[in-house]
């Protein structure tokens, strides 16, 4: 039970975070320039972990108070995951790539962390993903395994940001290949659809 919750959180976290975006490009840039990489990775991963934990525990309390709200959120979550998965598979048909912005002056430690905070906290999708979506799905886990789900989703963020920052010089050419992102999009789409099916199954079982 605990391992299954961890794996579900890990898969959901990776599916949501592995995408081309400003935050990922910033972490990749810092990794390529080897500027305050550890601090940037730690800030981004810790922020995700705190938002995920707050979402899961807050949603758990809200859902416990209303079975109707729990059902509506579960259906909405399954619909969102299905749509997200469809969009990822559809996106795989187009060519796109992740590249860090070249050049620019070196950043101080304070500026680098401030920019990481802006990319992490000023994007409304962050709250939709971590607090609402991950929170509502995690809240449906049995009470004693919710923290395993939180740990799995948080581990996904740490692994991804660590990979981007610490492996930037090796991974940058790979991330610049459209084919690599097409493969990731297909895997993401299949994962999201599988999680939507799992959520609907749990809903049908009344769990």
């Amino acid at each position: 039970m605990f391992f299954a919750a961890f794996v579900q959180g890990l898969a959901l976290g990776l599916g949501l975070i592995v995408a081309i975006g400003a935050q990922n490009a910033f972490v990749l840039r810092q990794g390529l320039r080897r500027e305050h990489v550890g601090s940037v990775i730690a800030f981004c991963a810790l922020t995700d972990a705190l938002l995920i934990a707050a979402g899961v525990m807050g949603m758990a309390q809200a859902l416990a108070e209303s079975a109707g709200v729990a059902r509506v959120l579960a259906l909405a979550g399954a619909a969102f995951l299905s749509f997200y998965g469809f969009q990822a598979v559809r996106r795989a048909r187009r060519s796109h790539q992740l590249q860090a912005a070249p050049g620019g002056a070196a950043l101080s430690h304070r500026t680098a962390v401030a920019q990481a905070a802006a990319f992490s906290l000023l994007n409304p999708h962050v709250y939709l993903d971590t607090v609402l979506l991950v929170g509502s799905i995690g809240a449906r886990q049995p009470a004693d395994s919710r923290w395993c789900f939180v740990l799995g989703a948080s581990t996904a963020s740490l692994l991804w940001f660590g990979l981007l920052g610490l492996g930037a010089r090796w991974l940058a050419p790979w991330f610049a290949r459209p084919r690599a992102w097409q493969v990731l999009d297909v895997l993401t789409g299949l994962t999201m659809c599988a999680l939507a099916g799992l959520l609907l199954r749990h809903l049908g079982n009344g769990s």
Side-chain angles (χ1 to χ4, degrees):
M1 180 186 298
F2 298 120
F3 181 71
F6 177 87
V7 171
Q8 188 175 348
L10 181 68
L12 180 60
L14 287 174
L16 292 174
I17 199 172
V18 177
I20 293 177
Q23 185 187 43
N24 285 336
F26 175 72
V27 175
L28 182 64
R29 173 190 184 275
Q30 293 305 109
L32 289 171
R33 296 170 66 92
R34 296 181 180 176
E35 288 180 358
H36 319 298
V37 182
S39 296
V40 169
I41 292 172
F43 184 91
C44 293
L46 181 60
T47 299
D48 272 7
L50 291 175
L51 289 174
I52 290 168
V56 170
M57 299 311 156
M59 282 293 181
Q61 181 177 356
L63 299 187
E65 296 173 355
S66 174
V69 171
R71 185 175 182 83
V72 169
L73 284 178
L75 289 173
F80 179 84
L81 287 173
S82 299
F83 177 75
Y84 191 98
F86 172 76
Q87 289 290 93
V89 173
R90 183 180 179 184
R91 193 167 58 240
R93 300 173 59 186
R94 303 190 299 271
S95 296
H96 51 281
Q97 56 190 339
L98 174 65
Q99 290 183 312
L107 301 179
S108 67
H109 182 268
R110 178 179 296 181
T111 301
V113 172
Q115 289 193 17
F119 286 124
S120 300
L121 299 174
L122 298 183
N123 180 2
H125 289 290
V126 169
Y127 302 97
L128 174 64
D129 291 347
T130 58
V131 178
L132 187 58
L133 181 60
V134 179
S136 61
I137 293 176
R140 296 188 63 82
Q141 299 289 329
D144 56 353
S145 62
R146 283 174 191 149
W147 281 110
C148 293
F149 180 91
V150 170
L151 181 60
S154 300
T155 298
S157 295
L158 180 60
L159 288 175
W160 179 247
F161 290 131
L163 188 66
L164 277 179
L166 300 177
R169 291 183 179 272
W170 176 67
L171 291 171
W174 190 81
F175 283 142
R177 299 174 185 171
R179 176 64 64 184
W181 286 96
Q182 289 173 325
V183 171
L184 280 177
D185 281 335
V186 170
L187 292 176
T188 296
L190 295 177
T191 300
M192 294 296 99
C193 290
L195 289 173
L198 184 62
L199 186 60
L200 288 174
R201 190 182 73 177
H202 285 172
L203 184 62
N205 292 337
S207 59

